[in-house]
Amino acid sequence: LSVSDGINTSEHTTVTINVNNLNDNQPSDILLSNDQFSESEAIGTSIGTLSTLDRDKEGFHTYSLVTGAGDADNQKFDIDGDQLVTAVSYDYDHEKSFTIRVKMTDYRGDSYEKVFTITTEADRDIQLEIPTAFSPNGDQVNDTWEIDRLLSYPKHLLKVFNTDGMEVFSNAGYTAQWDGTHKGQEQAFGTYYYIIRLNDASGKVFKGTVLIIK
């Protein structure tokens, strides 16, 4: 720039003009860096990092779990800053998938909400928990021989034999639990023998006895 009073003229001067960013774009998406975790993670373990697609780069974004469609499992997780973290103990045999509803709010108050599906993975280092007895008497308590963690081994084969060596139950992939019957007939009180082959890389085989209590 230069300026003149009609007689004298100033030397050229450079002027810098700064443009301030206007928060004129709505956030368009929430991203989660990871949506799978091991069932044995300790409470407070980070699962993944939350981030936002927002053309306005200024300011900050905050995240929270909110009520609404898809919030069924909000109580099983927490948000610490931009980290989604575990909040309870998990069991792959009983629950493998969770849905949560996350809200992002930017520094000007604009918000965006999104539902995420989080899945848990089996921890193969956790040993099978094999009950030594069950009572199939129809009272809905221990009516079947439920083996915790067995569902983590989809290739396994389970067989049960009576004291005469006759096979009374067989199942692969844990599609059914033994209810103490064989071909629809109730089996007698007493001891039965089982063998469980995991049929995975570990090559583990479990053998033992289970008692039917009436």
Side-chain angles (χ1 to χ4, degrees):
L1 297 176
S2 65
V3 65
S4 173
D5 60 4
I7 299 175
N8 299 307
T9 301
S10 70
E11 295 183 1
H12 292 290
T13 301
T14 299
V15 176
T16 300
I17 300 174
N18 295 315
V19 178
N20 293 325
N21 183 43
L22 178 65
N23 187 41
D24 55 356
N25 292 287
Q26 293 287 334
S28 59
D29 200 5
I30 304 174
L31 306 178
L32 179 61
S33 64
N34 177 61
D35 59 7
Q36 292 183 320
F37 68 100
S38 171
E39 64 174 325
S40 59
E41 296 289 3
I43 293 175
T45 299
S46 174
I47 296 170
T49 301
L50 292 158
S51 59
T52 300
L53 287 182
D54 190 346
R55 290 177 59 190
D56 291 307
K57 303 298 183 182
E58 298 292 331
F60 56 88
H61 304 91
T62 59
Y63 303 92
S64 59
L65 294 165
V66 293
T67 57
D71 69 350
D73 300 301
N74 278 13
Q75 74 279 7
K76 298 174 184 176
F77 300 88
D78 283 326
I79 291 179
D80 183 5
D82 62 355
Q83 300 296 303
L84 178 68
V85 300
T86 57
V88 297
S89 297
Y90 308 91
D91 186 340
Y92 177 84
D93 273 5
H94 294 94
E95 199 166 16
K96 304 175 181 61
S97 180
F98 311 87
T99 59
I100 59 173
R101 187 177 185 90
V102 177
K103 179 179 180 179
M104 182 285 309
T105 306
D106 69 13
Y107 75 108
R108 291 292 297 270
D110 290 326
S111 63
Y112 185 89
E113 297 183 15
K114 183 175 180 178
V115 174
F116 290 92
T117 298
I118 315 297
T119 57
T120 185
E121 300 173 326
D123 184 347
R124 297 302 179 86
D125 291 331
I126 298 177
Q127 295 296 313
L128 295 181
E129 297 179 13
I130 306 175
T132 57
F134 70 111
S135 55
N137 55 15
D139 66 355
Q140 299 184 348
V141 179
N142 295 322
D143 278 339
T144 61
W145 188 38
E146 182 177 355
I147 303 174
D148 199 18
R149 308 293 180 184
L150 189 56
L151 196 60
S152 302
Y153 304 90
K155 297 180 180 180
H156 82 269
L157 178 63
L158 165 65
K159 290 182 178 293
V160 181
F161 304 87
N162 62 21
T163 54
D164 294 327
M166 183 180 75
E167 181 182 301
V168 295
F169 180 74
S170 178
N171 184 254
Y174 210 44
T175 58
Q177 297 173 357
W178 189 34
D179 61 0
T181 65
H182 174 57
K183 294 182 178 181
Q185 298 296 316
E186 293 185 2
Q187 297 300 288
F189 161 84
T191 300
Y192 293 79
Y193 301 88
Y194 67 82
I195 181 169
I196 303 172
R197 298 184 186 276
L198 298 186
N199 293 326
D200 64 358
S202 71
K204 287 184 177 179
V205 177
F206 296 85
K207 297 179 180 181
T209 61
V210 58
L211 180 66
I212 289 183
I213 301 173
K214 296 294 187 179

